[in-house]
Amino acid sequence: MVTAAGPRSSVAAPARRVPAVRHLGPNWYACVMGTAIVGTAGAGLPWRVPGLRTACTAVWALSLLLLAALLTARTLHWRHHRDQARAHLLDPAAAPFYGCLAMALLAVGGGALAVGRDWIGTPAAIAVDAVLFTAGTAVGLAAAVAVPYLMAVRHRVAAEEASPVWLLPLVAPMVSAAVGPPLVGHLPPGQMRATLLLACVAMFGVSLLATLVTLPVIFGRLLTGGPLPLALTPSLFLVLGPLGQSTTAAGNFAAAAPDAVPGPYAGGFPVFAVLYGVPVMGFALMWLCLASAHVVRARRAGMGFSMTWWSFTFPVGTCVTGAEALARETGLVVYGWLAVALYAVLVAAWGVAATRTARGLVSGALLAGPLTRTARGLVSGALLAGPRPAPGAPRPATVRTT
């Protein structure tokens, strides 16, 4: 009796060392992304509002603190709960969220140069951006390859389970492409500037082409398989991410090109920014209306709060920055007003998501409920939830009440 109890307690001991982070998944980084984009997008609006830039800088500082806290917590997670960390990688409901780690690093780094320099100074902002850009790009490129590979060889995902969440690791290189050009002007003239700019263009292609082969699968599933499960419905907004971020990247290429590449090529980037960005932004607005209609339907059907509500933030924010880029390149006032309107939506969505997240953490409602798979897709549950049991593992007895 005593000897039988001994091994069980020793095996459970590591899980009790830091129990608060045992089920802390990479989905948490969506909070950092959604917070950082509020500051960055607000700073780029075509019209200046008294006090707005200060507020944007404060929001960016909050995202920096959140990032530091999450990196610390996730380090503890990997150190003390490596079994759960491996389970996340092998779970198709959790693995795509590793793209959020890369995008969180990149969003906060880009915000440092956009607004953080007001408080920490330009040299420090450049250093922070350079470090986070390098780390985020490395993680993003790794995720863009590793997650699809795992989905192909280790995960078992049916066609009817296609989800916009699959886009998360594929969008990360596009975020690098968008936040890299502002760093170009801070490098020595010549080879280094041209190399960074063209590397960003290459990552633009990586993400865009990967998105183009994945999006039809998601759209086809939506048309032939019916609406997504209620909890997953907000993830439809994730499709806006590659659309808005690629438009932003094209505009940033145009801004950085004169200092990085020869004249003929530099003159082509502004043309590309308009010819690419205008139709893509049009499709983004169509998808925004489609996704909003699905969300209204799901809300009426009883959709409650889950971490997928953070999908209303960062993807919408990329459309704000994309509209700002088009306003800058075309000089059309309509894109300025579009950016303002979308920014209002972004701020409202961030306020709701942040408030509901804080309330759920205080009440404990977000501390339970696993990341689960349903017959019709991947449903992201609570922010601190762990993955579903591995295939073949005994499942707890539950009763469905819905």
Side-chain angles (χ1 to χ4, degrees):
M1 296 291 292
V2 175
T3 56
R8 285 198 299 268
S9 60
S10 62
V11 170
R16 290 199 298 263
R17 279 189 283 179
V18 192
V21 300
R22 177 162 176 77
H23 297 302
L24 182 67
N27 43 9
W28 257 104
Y29 289 108
C31 303
V32 178
M33 297 160 51
T35 301
I37 198 70
V38 172
T40 304
L45 292 174
W47 296 291
R48 296 290 176 259
V49 178
L52 177 60
R53 188 173 178 88
T54 301
C56 290
T57 307
V59 173
W60 170 81
L62 174 61
S63 72
L64 180 63
L65 293 176
L66 289 174
L67 178 63
L70 278 176
L71 289 175
T72 301
R74 284 286 294 168
T75 299
L76 293 174
H77 172 82
W78 272 93
R79 179 178 179 182
H80 298 296
H81 306 288
R82 205 160 292 178
D83 60 326
Q84 286 294 310
R86 287 179 56 83
H88 288 165
L89 282 173
L90 298 179
D91 190 335
F97 286 98
Y98 274 90
C100 291
L101 166 59
M103 290 186 281
L105 294 169
L106 293 165
V108 174
L113 202 55
V115 293
R117 61 183 179 181
D118 293 354
W119 287 5
I120 65 176
T122 299
I126 294 173
V128 170
D129 192 9
V131 170
L132 294 183
F133 173 78
T134 302
T137 298
V139 173
L141 291 174
V145 175
V147 174
Y149 175 81
L150 288 173
M151 293 180 69
V153 303
R154 295 296 298 271
H155 302 165
R156 293 295 178 264
V157 183
E160 61 269 18
E161 293 178 328
S163 161
V165 172
W166 292 3
L167 292 172
L168 287 173
L170 305 179
V171 178
M174 187 64 79
V175 180
S176 293
V179 303
L183 281 171
V184 168
H186 298 285
L187 293 175
Q191 288 285 323
M192 295 187 68
R193 290 187 180 183
T195 299
L196 177 56
L197 179 61
L198 294 184
C200 291
V201 176
M203 288 187 286
F204 176 95
V206 168
S207 182
L208 178 63
L209 295 177
T211 299
L212 289 178
V213 299
T214 305
L215 188 56
V217 179
I218 299 169
F219 196 26
R221 179 256 170 268
L222 187 64
L223 295 180
T224 60
L228 296 178
L230 296 184
L232 191 62
T233 301
S235 70
L236 288 171
F237 276 71
L238 294 176
V239 175
L240 297 175
L243 304 176
Q245 199 67 276
S246 61
T247 303
T248 304
N252 288 346
F253 296 159
D259 294 329
V261 294
Y265 301 105
F269 279 105
V271 176
F272 173 73
V274 175
L275 294 182
Y276 174 86
V278 171
V280 170
M281 183 57 65
F283 180 71
L285 294 177
M286 184 278 285
W287 191 273
L288 176 62
C289 294
L290 177 64
S292 298
H294 276 268
V295 168
V296 170
R297 174 193 171 277
R299 189 63 173 157
R300 289 176 176 174
M303 180 187 73
F305 176 75
S306 70
M307 79 152 290
T308 54
W309 282 37
W310 283 96
S311 302
F312 299 139
T313 57
F314 188 80
V316 174
T318 66
C319 291
V320 176
T321 56
E324 292 169 351
L326 287 176
R328 184 173 63 247
E329 295 302 322
T330 64
L332 295 178
V333 176
V334 65
Y335 283 113
W337 284 112
L338 176 61
V340 172
L342 291 174
Y343 187 70
V345 174
L346 169 63
V347 172
W350 177 79
V352 172
T355 300
R356 295 294 293 272
T357 299
R359 186 185 305 169
L361 288 174
V362 171
S363 66
L366 289 180
L367 301 180
L371 289 171
T372 61
R373 292 173 71 192
T374 70
R376 306 186 67 180
L378 302 177
V379 179
S380 299
L383 285 173
L384 294 182
R388 58 181 174 84
R395 296 175 178 271
T398 59
V399 178
R400 295 186 64 88
T401 59
T402 57

